[in-house]
Amino acid sequence: MANTSQNTPDNRKDARPALFLDRDGVINVDKGYVSRIEDFVWIDGAAEAIAAFNARGWWVFVVTNQSGVAYGYYGEAEMAKLHAWMSAELGARGARIDHIYHCPYHVDGKVERYRRDSYDRKPKPGMLVQAMTDYPVIRERSFLIGDKETDLEAARAAGVAGFLFPGGDLASFAEWALADIDGGR
Ligand SMILES: [Mg+2]
C-alpha cells in the first residue's frame, strides 16, 4: 500500500491529508528511551485515534526522534522489532500506521556512525518533509500531534499545523484538533 511515487501533479488526485504523530508521549508513555515491549505502555485512545483517521482516508505517519540509537542504548534492529510489534498490536485493533519515520542521529552520540547533526531530528522538519515526498499529502489540511515544543517547531518548519498533547485520551484530543483546524479555515 506504500506509495513511494513523488508528490507530483499527476498523483495529486490520490493526495490525502496526513496525521503526523510523535511516538513517545503521544502513542506510548514517555519513560525515556523506550526500546523494549515490556516498557511500552499505550497512551489511552492511541489505537482509536489512528483508526479514526484511517477511516477518514487520511495518511497516518509516526515521526520519532530515536537518539537512543546514537547513544548506544539500543540498535535500529531492536527499535524495528518494537515498531513491528506496535504495528501488529494496532492492526489487531483495526488501526494502521502508513509509515514510521525515525531519526537515529544525535550530534553527541556515542556510536560513531550515528554521531551527527541531522535535518531529520526534530525540531528540524526532515521526517515530515520526507513523508510528504514519499506520499501524496495535502499539506494544508495535515497536522501533527506532539508532546514537546520541538515537535511543534518541526511541524511549523514543514508547513503543517501542530498541536501540543497535554496527556489524557489521544482519540479525544485528535478529534478536538481536527475540529480546531476545520473551524479555522
Ligand atoms: Mg515525545
Side-chain angles (χ1 to χ4, degrees), residues 34-35 66 68-83 102 104 111 113-114:
V34 170
S35 64
Q66 291 295 325
V69 174
Y71 289 126
Y73 300 152
Y74 50 89
E76 283 190 283
E78 192 177 352
M79 184 207 66
K81 208 169 134 189
L82 179 68
H83 287 170
H102 74 278
V111 182
R113 61 182 284 230
Y114 297 114

mmCIF file of all heavy atoms in Angstrom, residues 34-35 66 68-83 102 104 111 113-114:
data_model
loop_
_atom_site.group_PDB
_atom_site.id
_atom_site.type_symbol
_atom_site.label_atom_id
_atom_site.label_comp_id
_atom_site.label_asym_id
_atom_site.label_seq_id
_atom_site.Cartn_x
_atom_site.Cartn_y
_atom_site.Cartn_z
ATOM 1 N N VAL A 34 12.454 4.316 25.350
ATOM 2 C CA VAL A 34 11.723 3.043 25.344
ATOM 3 C C VAL A 34 12.158 2.218 24.130
ATOM 4 O O VAL A 34 12.106 2.691 22.987
ATOM 5 C CB VAL A 34 10.197 3.281 25.295
ATOM 6 C CG1 VAL A 34 9.457 1.975 25.044
ATOM 7 C CG2 VAL A 34 9.720 3.931 26.592
ATOM 8 N N SER A 35 12.611 1.001 24.379
ATOM 9 C CA SER A 35 13.046 0.154 23.265
ATOM 10 C C SER A 35 12.557 -1.280 23.408
ATOM 11 O O SER A 35 12.731 -2.085 22.507
ATOM 12 C CB SER A 35 14.574 0.144 23.166
ATOM 13 O OG SER A 35 15.130 -0.446 24.328
ATOM 14 N N GLN A 66 14.923 9.132 17.691
ATOM 15 C CA GLN A 66 15.396 7.946 18.416
ATOM 16 C C GLN A 66 16.894 8.065 18.678
ATOM 17 O O GLN A 66 17.698 7.257 18.216
ATOM 18 C CB GLN A 66 15.046 6.674 17.628
ATOM 19 C CG GLN A 66 13.544 6.381 17.589
ATOM 20 C CD GLN A 66 12.965 6.066 18.963
ATOM 21 O OE1 GLN A 66 13.624 5.450 19.797
ATOM 22 N NE2 GLN A 66 11.736 6.504 19.224
ATOM 23 N N GLY A 68 18.362 7.382 21.215
ATOM 24 C CA GLY A 68 18.856 6.234 21.977
ATOM 25 C C GLY A 68 19.746 5.335 21.135
ATOM 26 O O GLY A 68 20.642 4.669 21.652
ATOM 27 N N VAL A 69 19.514 5.347 19.825
ATOM 28 C CA VAL A 69 20.374 4.588 18.901
ATOM 29 C C VAL A 69 21.769 5.215 18.867
ATOM 30 O O VAL A 69 22.781 4.518 18.986
ATOM 31 C CB VAL A 69 19.748 4.535 17.487
ATOM 32 C CG1 VAL A 69 20.712 3.884 16.505
ATOM 33 C CG2 VAL A 69 18.412 3.794 17.509
ATOM 34 N N ALA A 70 21.799 6.534 18.745
ATOM 35 C CA ALA A 70 23.094 7.230 18.707
ATOM 36 C C ALA A 70 23.851 7.088 20.023
ATOM 37 O O ALA A 70 25.072 7.003 20.042
ATOM 38 C CB ALA A 70 22.884 8.718 18.387
ATOM 39 N N TYR A 71 23.101 7.053 21.114
ATOM 40 C CA TYR A 71 23.735 6.907 22.430
ATOM 41 C C TYR A 71 24.134 5.463 22.730
ATOM 42 O O TYR A 71 24.783 5.195 23.739
ATOM 43 C CB TYR A 71 22.798 7.416 23.531
ATOM 44 C CG TYR A 71 22.631 8.920 23.532
ATOM 45 C CD1 TYR A 71 21.360 9.503 23.472
ATOM 46 C CD2 TYR A 71 23.740 9.756 23.594
ATOM 47 C CE1 TYR A 71 21.203 10.885 23.468
ATOM 48 C CE2 TYR A 71 23.598 11.133 23.590
ATOM 49 C CZ TYR A 71 22.323 11.695 23.534
ATOM 50 O OH TYR A 71 22.181 13.052 23.526
ATOM 51 N N GLY A 72 23.689 4.537 21.867
ATOM 52 C CA GLY A 72 24.071 3.140 22.063
ATOM 53 C C GLY A 72 23.200 2.402 23.067
ATOM 54 O O GLY A 72 23.563 1.317 23.535
ATOM 55 N N TYR A 73 22.052 2.977 23.421
ATOM 56 C CA TYR A 73 21.151 2.306 24.368
ATOM 57 C C TYR A 73 20.448 1.110 23.725
ATOM 58 O O TYR A 73 20.075 0.167 24.400
ATOM 59 C CB TYR A 73 20.098 3.276 24.906
ATOM 60 C CG TYR A 73 20.663 4.461 25.651
ATOM 61 C CD1 TYR A 73 19.979 5.672 25.686
ATOM 62 C CD2 TYR A 73 21.878 4.374 26.335
ATOM 63 C CE1 TYR A 73 20.490 6.766 26.370
ATOM 64 C CE2 TYR A 73 22.400 5.458 27.014
ATOM 65 C CZ TYR A 73 21.695 6.657 27.033
ATOM 66 O OH TYR A 73 22.197 7.734 27.693
ATOM 67 N N TYR A 74 20.233 1.195 22.436
ATOM 68 C CA TYR A 74 19.621 0.105 21.675
ATOM 69 C C TYR A 74 19.955 0.320 20.203
ATOM 70 O O TYR A 74 20.371 1.414 19.813
ATOM 71 C CB TYR A 74 18.096 0.051 21.887
ATOM 72 C CG TYR A 74 17.384 1.367 21.709
ATOM 73 C CD1 TYR A 74 16.914 1.757 20.463
ATOM 74 C CD2 TYR A 74 17.206 2.228 22.783
ATOM 75 C CE1 TYR A 74 16.272 2.973 20.292
ATOM 76 C CE2 TYR A 74 16.574 3.450 22.627
ATOM 77 C CZ TYR A 74 16.103 3.821 21.388
ATOM 78 O OH TYR A 74 15.486 5.036 21.218
ATOM 79 N N GLY A 75 19.779 -0.735 19.411
ATOM 80 C CA GLY A 75 20.113 -0.640 17.996
ATOM 81 C C GLY A 75 18.868 -0.443 17.144
ATOM 82 O O GLY A 75 17.739 -0.573 17.630
ATOM 83 N N GLU A 76 19.090 -0.141 15.880
ATOM 84 C CA GLU A 76 17.948 0.059 14.986
ATOM 85 C C GLU A 76 17.147 -1.221 14.787
ATOM 86 O O GLU A 76 15.938 -1.181 14.577
ATOM 87 C CB GLU A 76 18.409 0.624 13.639
ATOM 88 C CG GLU A 76 18.736 2.103 13.716
ATOM 89 C CD GLU A 76 18.969 2.728 12.352
ATOM 90 O OE1 GLU A 76 20.054 2.511 11.789
ATOM 91 O OE2 GLU A 76 18.075 3.424 11.852
ATOM 92 N N ALA A 77 17.818 -2.378 14.871
ATOM 93 C CA ALA A 77 17.107 -3.647 14.707
ATOM 94 C C ALA A 77 16.140 -3.866 15.871
ATOM 95 O O ALA A 77 15.005 -4.303 15.679
ATOM 96 C CB ALA A 77 18.106 -4.792 14.625
ATOM 97 N N GLU A 78 16.593 -3.525 17.074
ATOM 98 C CA GLU A 78 15.739 -3.660 18.260
ATOM 99 C C GLU A 78 14.550 -2.695 18.156
ATOM 100 O O GLU A 78 13.411 -3.052 18.475
ATOM 101 C CB GLU A 78 16.570 -3.368 19.512
ATOM 102 C CG GLU A 78 15.877 -3.745 20.806
ATOM 103 C CD GLU A 78 16.770 -3.500 22.030
ATOM 104 O OE1 GLU A 78 17.977 -3.190 21.861
ATOM 105 O OE2 GLU A 78 16.251 -3.615 23.150
ATOM 106 N N MET A 79 14.845 -1.488 17.686
ATOM 107 C CA MET A 79 13.783 -0.493 17.510
ATOM 108 C C MET A 79 12.773 -0.977 16.463
ATOM 109 O O MET A 79 11.564 -0.862 16.655
ATOM 110 C CB MET A 79 14.410 0.838 17.081
ATOM 111 C CG MET A 79 13.420 1.974 16.953
ATOM 112 S SD MET A 79 14.030 3.185 15.761
ATOM 113 C CE MET A 79 13.970 2.180 14.273
ATOM 114 N N ALA A 80 13.287 -1.540 15.369
ATOM 115 C CA ALA A 80 12.402 -2.034 14.306
ATOM 116 C C ALA A 80 11.511 -3.160 14.824
ATOM 117 O O ALA A 80 10.336 -3.263 14.451
ATOM 118 C CB ALA A 80 13.237 -2.511 13.117
ATOM 119 N N LYS A 81 12.074 -3.981 15.692
ATOM 120 C CA LYS A 81 11.305 -5.076 16.287
ATOM 121 C C LYS A 81 10.159 -4.516 17.143
ATOM 122 O O LYS A 81 9.017 -4.988 17.081
ATOM 123 C CB LYS A 81 12.244 -5.923 17.160
ATOM 124 C CG LYS A 81 11.841 -7.371 17.296
ATOM 125 C CD LYS A 81 12.987 -8.156 17.948
ATOM 126 C CE LYS A 81 12.436 -9.054 19.050
ATOM 127 N NZ LYS A 81 13.508 -9.668 19.849
ATOM 128 N N LEU A 82 10.469 -3.494 17.915
ATOM 129 C CA LEU A 82 9.433 -2.855 18.736
ATOM 130 C C LEU A 82 8.352 -2.250 17.841
ATOM 131 O O LEU A 82 7.155 -2.381 18.111
ATOM 132 C CB LEU A 82 10.053 -1.769 19.626
ATOM 133 C CG LEU A 82 9.053 -1.016 20.515
ATOM 134 C CD1 LEU A 82 8.480 -1.949 21.584
ATOM 135 C CD2 LEU A 82 9.688 0.205 21.165
ATOM 136 N N HIS A 83 8.778 -1.612 16.765
ATOM 137 C CA HIS A 83 7.802 -0.970 15.870
ATOM 138 C C HIS A 83 6.945 -2.007 15.138
ATOM 139 O O HIS A 83 5.765 -1.773 14.894
ATOM 140 C CB HIS A 83 8.518 -0.046 14.881
ATOM 141 C CG HIS A 83 9.025 1.205 15.537
ATOM 142 N ND1 HIS A 83 9.864 2.094 14.918
ATOM 143 C CD2 HIS A 83 8.796 1.702 16.784
ATOM 144 C CE1 HIS A 83 10.133 3.097 15.750
ATOM 145 N NE2 HIS A 83 9.507 2.870 16.879
ATOM 146 N N HIS A 102 11.924 7.490 11.631
ATOM 147 C CA HIS A 102 12.682 7.696 12.866
ATOM 148 C C HIS A 102 14.009 8.363 12.543
ATOM 149 O O HIS A 102 14.538 8.215 11.434
ATOM 150 C CB HIS A 102 12.929 6.356 13.567
ATOM 151 C CG HIS A 102 13.961 5.510 12.898
ATOM 152 N ND1 HIS A 102 13.689 4.711 11.802
ATOM 153 C CD2 HIS A 102 15.287 5.364 13.158
ATOM 154 C CE1 HIS A 102 14.805 4.102 11.423
ATOM 155 N NE2 HIS A 102 15.779 4.475 12.218
ATOM 156 N N PRO A 104 17.769 8.324 14.016
ATOM 157 C CA PRO A 104 18.659 7.687 14.998
ATOM 158 C C PRO A 104 19.859 8.557 15.374
ATOM 159 O O PRO A 104 20.666 8.139 16.207
ATOM 160 C CB PRO A 104 19.142 6.443 14.234
ATOM 161 C CG PRO A 104 19.206 6.894 12.810
ATOM 162 C CD PRO A 104 18.057 7.879 12.644
ATOM 163 N N VAL A 111 27.806 6.332 19.476
ATOM 164 C CA VAL A 111 28.058 5.408 18.369
ATOM 165 C C VAL A 111 28.431 6.254 17.150
ATOM 166 O O VAL A 111 27.633 7.067 16.679
ATOM 167 C CB VAL A 111 26.801 4.564 18.065
ATOM 168 C CG1 VAL A 111 27.085 3.571 16.934
ATOM 169 C CG2 VAL A 111 26.325 3.834 19.314
ATOM 170 N N ARG A 113 28.784 6.032 13.938
ATOM 171 C CA ARG A 113 28.046 6.173 12.681
ATOM 172 C C ARG A 113 26.746 6.960 12.837
ATOM 173 O O ARG A 113 26.141 7.386 11.873
ATOM 174 C CB ARG A 113 27.785 4.814 12.022
ATOM 175 C CG ARG A 113 26.953 3.854 12.847
ATOM 176 C CD ARG A 113 26.820 2.530 12.105
ATOM 177 N NE ARG A 113 25.861 2.632 11.010
ATOM 178 C CZ ARG A 113 24.864 1.774 10.822
ATOM 179 N NH1 ARG A 113 24.701 0.753 11.645
ATOM 180 N NH2 ARG A 113 24.040 1.925 9.823
ATOM 181 N N TYR A 114 26.316 7.143 14.071
ATOM 182 C CA TYR A 114 25.082 7.910 14.314
ATOM 183 C C TYR A 114 25.372 9.278 14.935
ATOM 184 O O TYR A 114 24.450 9.989 15.311
ATOM 185 C CB TYR A 114 24.150 7.133 15.237
ATOM 186 C CG TYR A 114 23.659 5.823 14.660
ATOM 187 C CD1 TYR A 114 24.029 4.608 15.227
ATOM 188 C CD2 TYR A 114 22.796 5.809 13.558
ATOM 189 C CE1 TYR A 114 23.568 3.407 14.709
ATOM 190 C CE2 TYR A 114 22.338 4.614 13.034
ATOM 191 C CZ TYR A 114 22.724 3.415 13.614
ATOM 192 O OH TYR A 114 22.260 2.230 13.104
#
